[in-house]
Amino acid sequence: MGREFNRRVSQLKSQPLLIRLLWRALSIPDAGPEISDRIVAFDAQTFQRQPVSKEAVVNEFLLLENRTAAEIARSLPEKSEGMLDPEAMDRLLIKVHCEMQRLSEEFQHGQRVAEVLDSLLQSLRDNHVRPPLRIVDIGCGTGFVIRWLTRHKSLGEDVELLGADYHPALIEEAARLAAAENLSCRFVVGNAFRLAQPATIYISTGILHHFRGPDLIDLFSQHNRESTCAFLHFDFHSSSLSPFGSWLFHKVRMREPLAIHDGVLSAVRAHTPQKLLSAARSGAPEFVSAIYGTRLWRLPIPRAFHSLVGVRPPYRSDFLSRMGRKVNVLGVIE
Amino acid sequence: MTAFLLWFLATLDGAFTGYREAAGRSALIDKRRYFRRAMIKGALFAQIAVVIAAVVVIVSIMLVTDGQDLVRAYDRAGAHMLFIYVPYAVMMLVGFLFRLIPSVDIRSITSTVIFGPFTLIRPVVAVLGLAYGIASAARPATIIPGLIVLSMMLSLETVLTFWRKQA
């Protein structure tokens, strides 16, 4: 973490003075982690909830000179002996996910995912991949993407939609929301890569930047399963404009200070397309990967989100032909 | 005509404030009914501001000896406010027109270029419009109803949130 912090600071120092001043004036955080990464903890094997010391969280942010995050952490409710109140943290994270969904809706994220997924699924059908075509959303939170895809029935009857997350409260909320709208999708607490019925396509939104260094390569290496034909991961596009754009939208649209802080920091921490491609190729060499959505149409304007797509070589040409002119519209780095 | 346009813009602003206040609070996928109700509530709450301002305007006209002059001053102030408010409203409506185009990119651009930044500058536009109106009317009597409407419209979202918590 210390190395990453130093890298971000030196990166910031290399920016023009005006950018640096603006960065400071808007209190844009320099480096991770995000507050939501620290206020809940689970055992990776048993998924048992672990207590989190509030003081430890506050001190970690103070050490990183992230005073905004330290203040937000300091304001969080305690249960006993200086430990954060787990139920209050669950309620807070559900609220934050609800606010995040607002941005996803505004930026048409459901439709955006559906457009690429549709081409991926068609290419698998062209190659007679046996149904059901199971799509698993890694770190689905309250399951917006899975619920949106189910509600709009845009992918076909042979598709099974499943969301997985470590956090039981978020999964419970996802299931509650799905039931409220009679949606047939499923949500499970657990590791998306250790499900009894593995995914045909793994998808995710906004999780890649949480994985740093070897953890990112390790994440991709878990895609190397016989039954997995493709993956599609959306995350913030790293550019010098993205922290400012992210700041504007989180200030205008979000209410929870934690949501604003973490949302802006997500854009700051976003991996470059080159880094994502390099990690995907190291971790998942069985797949042909590329980044889509690098620029807006043919203009040199970066998009807020880009997507890392990996497909097994036999499906690649059909995928590209199914994408058609969308590839040019999205822009691609291979 | 000026009064009608100001009422229309205040109602429109109230409806969108209702939408904004409701957004990010429901995680359902289909929220058309939820947002429709929120917009109606916002528009109705805006009428309270309009009615209070109208009462203040009428009372002030009744209290002064040169009532006709004051009516003209109000009209002048309102017309100048519209110089600021109408272009703002037109930009927002243009955004909605573009949003009708079934393209994820075009719809996202409307947020990036219009809805996001214009929501951010809304309080500034509201204050500028009022200041321009009051300055052009050159009658101190126009300040009070102007400030009442301004403060009520700018606090509408907070009031709606308070109402939601009470309900």
Side-chain angles (χ1 to χ4, degrees):
Chain A
M1 189 203 304
R3 208 178 305 140
E4 192 207 342
F5 176 68
N6 291 336
R7 188 184 63 80
R8 292 301 313 188
V9 170
S10 59
Q11 192 182 333
L12 180 58
K13 280 180 181 163
S14 68
Q15 299 279 353
L17 180 65
L18 186 66
I19 299 272
R20 275 188 287 162
L21 288 175
L22 199 55
W23 195 289
R24 285 275 166 254
L26 302 178
S27 298
I28 293 175
D30 294 326
E34 289 162 39
I35 303 169
S36 51
D37 287 338
R38 289 295 185 264
I39 61 172
V40 286
F42 297 96
D43 184 283
Q45 300 302 319
T46 62
F47 307 119
Q48 280 294 308
R49 188 76 173 252
Q50 317 245 292
V52 176
S53 157
K54 181 167 157 177
E55 196 186 351
V57 177
V58 171
N59 287 341
E60 183 179 353
F61 286 118
L62 286 176
L63 206 66
L64 289 167
E65 294 178 34
N66 187 344
R67 284 186 185 78
T68 311
E71 279 309 309
I72 293 169
R74 195 171 279 138
S75 69
L76 297 175
E78 290 173 32
K79 182 109 178 174
S80 60
E81 295 170 11
M83 296 298 161
L84 290 170
D85 179 350
E87 280 144 28
M89 295 309 101
D90 288 350
R91 283 194 298 275
L92 176 63
L93 288 179
I94 288 171
K95 212 168 163 188
V96 166
H97 274 80
C98 191
E99 292 190 10
M100 280 159 51
Q101 181 173 324
R102 177 189 187 178
L103 280 191
S104 295
E105 287 163 350
E106 191 165 345
F107 286 96
Q108 310 273 300
H109 188 61
Q111 184 64 39
R112 208 177 285 276
V113 176
E115 284 182 1
V116 184
L117 262 183
D118 188 50
S119 301
L120 272 175
L121 289 165
Q122 292 294 352
S123 67
L124 301 188
R125 289 183 190 115
D126 293 344
N127 285 276
H128 312 291
V129 173
R130 251 191 321 177
L133 302 171
R134 190 172 298 107
I135 296 171
V136 175
D137 189 358
I138 309 165
C140 68
T142 50
F144 167 69
V145 171
I146 290 291
R147 288 184 293 115
W148 192 97
L149 293 170
T150 310
R151 174 73 178 76
H152 290 86
K153 296 185 174 79
S154 50
L155 300 179
E157 294 294 319
D158 56 346
V159 174
E160 200 179 294
L161 291 155
L162 182 71
D165 201 295
Y166 273 125
H167 199 137
L170 297 180
I171 287 295
E172 206 176 293
E173 178 68 359
R176 184 189 73 77
L177 291 163
E181 293 188 288
N182 292 319
L183 304 176
S184 59
C185 47
R186 286 190 302 129
F187 295 95
V188 291
V189 177
N191 185 330
F193 297 107
R194 290 192 205 148
L195 301 173
Q197 297 164 310
T200 314
I201 302 175
Y202 282 107
I203 63 169
S204 77
T205 300
I207 68 154
L208 294 182
H209 66 271
H210 290 268
F211 294 85
R212 321 298 297 181
D215 289 346
L216 185 63
I217 296 172
D218 186 49
L219 172 79
F220 290 119
S221 69
Q222 297 187 68
H223 292 69
N224 296 319
R225 277 147 219 279
E226 203 185 331
S227 55
T228 301
C229 301
F231 56 82
L232 167 62
H233 297 299
F234 282 82
D235 206 353
F236 283 101
H237 187 187
S238 170
S239 78
S240 52
L241 285 178
S242 58
F244 301 109
S246 182
W247 176 87
L248 188 145
F249 274 91
H250 286 84
K251 274 283 178 198
V252 170
R253 301 289 191 239
M254 304 293 204
R255 299 182 181 95
E256 281 297 330
L258 185 147
I260 297 171
H261 174 274
D262 282 8
V264 177
L265 187 53
S266 297
V268 172
R269 296 176 81 202
H271 295 298
T272 61
Q274 291 73 19
K275 178 150 193 180
L276 283 178
L277 275 179
S278 155
R281 283 167 187 166
S282 301
E286 298 168 19
F287 294 80
V288 185
S289 6
I291 300 270
Y292 292 88
T294 54
R295 57 168 200 271
L296 196 57
W297 301 314
R298 289 167 195 270
L299 305 168
I301 302 171
R303 287 166 187 269
F305 263 55
H306 58 189
S307 55
L308 172 67
V309 181
V311 282
R312 288 201 179 268
Y315 314 126
R316 184 173 176 267
S317 62
D318 285 321
F319 166 64
L320 289 176
S321 95
R322 288 287 183 177
M323 284 285 278
R325 56 179 290 276
K326 272 185 278 182
V327 174
N328 291 329
V329 173
L330 285 168
V332 60
I333 297 177
E334 288 183 312
Chain B
M1 187 62 181
T2 303
F4 171 77
L5 275 175
L6 283 171
W7 166 81
F8 179 71
L9 290 180
T11 304
L12 211 57
D13 187 61
F16 287 121
T17 303
Y19 177 92
R20 250 192 340 270
E21 196 279 331
R25 296 186 196 276
S26 166
L28 293 174
I29 301 296
D30 187 353
K31 291 192 278 282
R32 281 173 294 188
R33 191 158 164 258
Y34 170 77
F35 280 130
R36 207 164 34 237
R37 289 181 62 165
M39 290 180 80
I40 291 170
K41 193 161 75 176
L44 288 176
F45 269 75
Q47 303 313 305
I48 298 172
V50 171
V51 168
I52 291 173
V55 168
V56 174
V57 166
I58 291 165
V59 169
S60 67
I61 291 168
M62 287 164 68
L63 289 178
V64 295
T65 50
D66 57 342
Q68 284 302 315
D69 273 1
L70 188 55
V71 169
R72 275 192 289 275
Y74 276 130
D75 193 53
R76 204 161 45 244
H80 281 79
M81 284 180 201
L82 289 174
F83 274 124
I84 306 283
Y85 296 151
V86 168
Y88 179 85
V90 166
M91 278 307 290
M92 292 297 251
L93 291 174
V94 166
F96 281 108
L97 284 179
F98 274 104
R99 196 117 185 141
L100 293 175
I101 300 169
S103 152
V104 290
D105 285 331
I106 290 172
R107 287 177 175 174
S108 298
I109 288 170
T110 59
S111 283
T112 317
V113 177
I114 301 175
F115 297 125
F118 275 64
T119 308
L120 193 69
I121 64 165
R122 175 180 167 266
V124 178
V125 172
V127 172
L128 273 179
L130 178 70
Y132 188 43
I134 289 171
S136 61
R139 283 286 296 255
T142 56
I143 297 173
I144 295 165
L147 283 178
I148 288 173
V149 171
L150 180 75
S151 53
M152 290 184 81
M153 292 308 289
L154 290 183
S155 57
L156 187 56
E157 199 168 331
T158 313
V159 173
L160 288 169
T161 303
F162 179 77
W163 184 265
R164 175 187 296 278
K165 283 178 182 164
Q166 301 303 310

